[in-house]
């Protein structure tokens, strides 16, 4: 069986030996598609195999929490979202629990995809470009150059690039003069998407703006970036993540963002001060 674990804590074997210590890999490394597959395995209630409720109990969730998650369409997804910000959670710990619950079927099917997520997450970033939209670009090599810092990392899908261009015009090229990190513009080719994103969000950018759209809601990259930003600020205590809704969406608004105030570009009664409000939020210390 392919896997990416090591001998775990307290002598517990993870699925099989590998150079990676997955107890050091946070759960945010798991992509949207892997989480969806985990949900397909764990959401159905079963009399013969441990389901998401048994996993939740082993993760330390209370009876009331589990009963509340039971009302959701995807309780496994909610469970992973909540657990990933708790102390002690990791990919290695998740695999350990699945092994403890004798869900070898999950480990057998998903270990290759989990291994790929971990490799992507642990790869080191190569280069980041300068952000100044009015001047020439200079690449910054993290091994020796001076790192570039930004007011906000923009999390978006290619389908929403026109709105990102408008964001650049309104926030960088006006009196606000903010520095935005736009992946397609500011990251040089050759970098690992997952690790350069986490490096930028955690260490180079003071805030992250999530451009919410139907395409955003099915994007693995946006899912990873959003959950990573949330893991750095549980409960949105330092207002690190700012969701922006710029057009009407058909899909359900993500549950993990419902507790955060959004900037709504679709509301005609507040549209006139949308950019001023967003700029103020990004300018906060």
């Amino acid at each position: 069986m392919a896997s990416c674990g090591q001998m775990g804590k307290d002598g517990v074997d993870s699925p099989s030996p590998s150079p990676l210590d997955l107890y050091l890999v946070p759960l945010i490394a798991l992509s949207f598609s892997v989480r969806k597959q985990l949900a397909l395995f764990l959401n159905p209630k079963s009399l013969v195999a441990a389901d998401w409720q048994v996993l939740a109990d082993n993760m330390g969730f209370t009876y009331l929490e589990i009963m509340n998650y039971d009302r959701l369409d995807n309780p496994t997804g909610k469970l992973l979202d909540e657990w990933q910000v708790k102390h002690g959670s990791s990919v290695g710990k998740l695999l350990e629990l699945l092994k403890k619950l004798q869900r070898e079927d999950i480990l057998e099917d998903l270990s290759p995809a989990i291994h790929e997520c971990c490799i992507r997450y642990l790869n080191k970033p190569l280069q980041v470009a300068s952000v100044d939209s009015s001047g020439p670009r200079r690449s910054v090599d993290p091994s020796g150059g001076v790192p570039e810092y930004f007011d906000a990392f923009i999390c978006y899908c290619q389908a929403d690039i026109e709105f990102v261009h408008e964001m650049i015009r309104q926030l960088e090229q006006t009196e606000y003069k903010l520095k935005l990190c736009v992946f397609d513009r500011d990251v040089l080719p050759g970098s690992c998407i997952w690790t350069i994103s986490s490096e930028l969000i955690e260490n180079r950018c003071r805030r992250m703006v999530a451009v919410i759209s139907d395409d955003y809601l099915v994007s693995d990259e946006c899912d990873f970036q959003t959950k990573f930003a949330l893991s750095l600020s549980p409960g949105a205590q330092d207002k690190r993540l700012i969701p922006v809704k710029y057009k009407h969406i058909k899909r359900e608004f993500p549950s993990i963002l419902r507790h955060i105030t959004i900037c709504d570009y679709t509301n005609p009664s507040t549209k006139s001060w949308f950019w001023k409000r967003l700029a103020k939020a990004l300018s906060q210390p």
Side-chain angles (χ1 to χ4, degrees):
M1 175 178 62
S3 183
C4 55
Q6 282 187 329
M7 178 68 72
K9 299 176 183 177
D10 303 322
V12 178
D13 283 323
S14 52
S16 68
S18 167
L20 300 179
D21 182 359
L22 297 191
Y23 288 96
L24 300 179
V25 181
L27 211 64
I28 49 146
L30 297 183
S31 67
F32 175 83
S33 59
V34 167
R35 291 167 185 261
K36 183 178 180 180
Q37 289 298 312
L38 283 168
L40 291 175
F41 276 106
L42 292 168
N43 279 345
K45 294 182 179 180
S46 172
L47 297 176
V48 296
D51 59 16
W52 72 269
Q53 291 186 334
V54 181
L55 179 61
D57 184 60
N58 279 265
M59 287 174 169
F61 286 90
T62 67
Y63 173 79
L64 287 177
E65 288 174 319
I66 293 172
M67 288 301 98
N68 274 283
Y69 298 160
D70 194 33
R71 303 173 184 175
L72 304 176
D73 292 334
N74 182 12
T76 300
K78 177 66 173 178
L79 181 68
L80 295 175
D81 289 342
E82 294 293 331
W83 190 58
Q84 72 182 11
V85 298
K86 291 181 178 289
H87 177 72
S89 66
S90 67
V91 173
K93 186 64 177 178
L94 176 63
L95 296 180
E96 176 189 323
L97 292 175
L98 291 173
K99 184 176 178 65
K100 176 184 175 182
L101 300 178
Q102 300 182 337
R103 291 304 305 260
E104 280 81 6
D105 55 330
I106 299 178
L107 299 173
E108 181 94 31
D109 282 7
L110 298 188
S111 284
I114 292 173
H115 184 274
E116 182 181 353
C117 289
C118 296
I119 293 296
R120 286 176 175 175
Y121 180 83
L122 293 173
N123 272 340
K124 299 301 180 185
L126 301 177
Q127 291 179 318
V128 182
S130 160
V131 68
D132 187 357
S133 61
S134 61
R137 293 272 183 267
R138 61 179 179 84
S139 54
V140 179
D141 184 350
S143 63
V146 178
E148 192 78 20
Y149 294 93
F150 310 87
D151 292 301
F153 180 92
I154 310 301
C155 172
Y156 65 97
C157 288
Q158 284 297 319
D160 305 315
I161 192 66
E162 287 302 318
F163 182 74
V164 174
H165 281 292
E166 180 65 16
M167 190 176 292
I168 291 171
R169 287 190 292 269
Q170 295 289 341
L171 299 177
E172 284 190 349
Q173 300 170 2
T174 61
E175 69 273 15
Y176 302 122
K177 297 193 180 301
L178 294 169
K179 290 184 178 181
L180 307 180
C181 181
V182 178
F183 204 94
D184 289 297
R185 181 191 68 176
D186 298 318
V187 178
L188 299 184
S191 301
C192 170
I193 294 174
W194 308 96
T195 37
I196 195 64
S197 295
S198 57
E199 161 69 15
L200 287 165
I201 294 167
E202 182 173 15
N203 298 317
R204 307 284 189 89
C205 300
R206 295 168 55 246
R207 300 280 190 276
M208 188 180 96
V209 174
V211 180
I212 310 297
S213 68
D214 286 316
D215 294 283
Y216 162 95
L217 295 174
V218 294
S219 165
D220 282 351
E221 291 178 33
C222 292
D223 180 72
F224 170 82
Q225 292 165 3
T226 300
K227 288 172 179 172
F228 184 78
L230 285 173
S231 74
L232 299 174
S233 177
Q237 295 176 2
D238 65 359
K239 302 178 182 178
R240 190 182 190 104
L241 176 60
I242 302 172
V244 168
K245 180 183 174 185
Y246 87 99
K247 64 181 179 181
H248 295 288
I249 58 177
K250 298 178 182 178
R251 299 176 184 272
E252 184 180 3
F253 195 81
S255 59
I256 58 174
L257 298 180
R258 287 177 182 168
H259 66 289
I260 304 176
T261 304
I262 70 169
C263 280
D264 191 351
Y265 193 69
T266 67
N267 188 344
S269 63
T270 61
K271 193 171 183 178
S272 60
W273 59 72
F274 173 87
W275 294 112
K276 182 178 180 180
R277 185 168 176 248
L278 180 57
K280 187 175 181 180
L282 296 178
S283 302
Q284 294 295 315

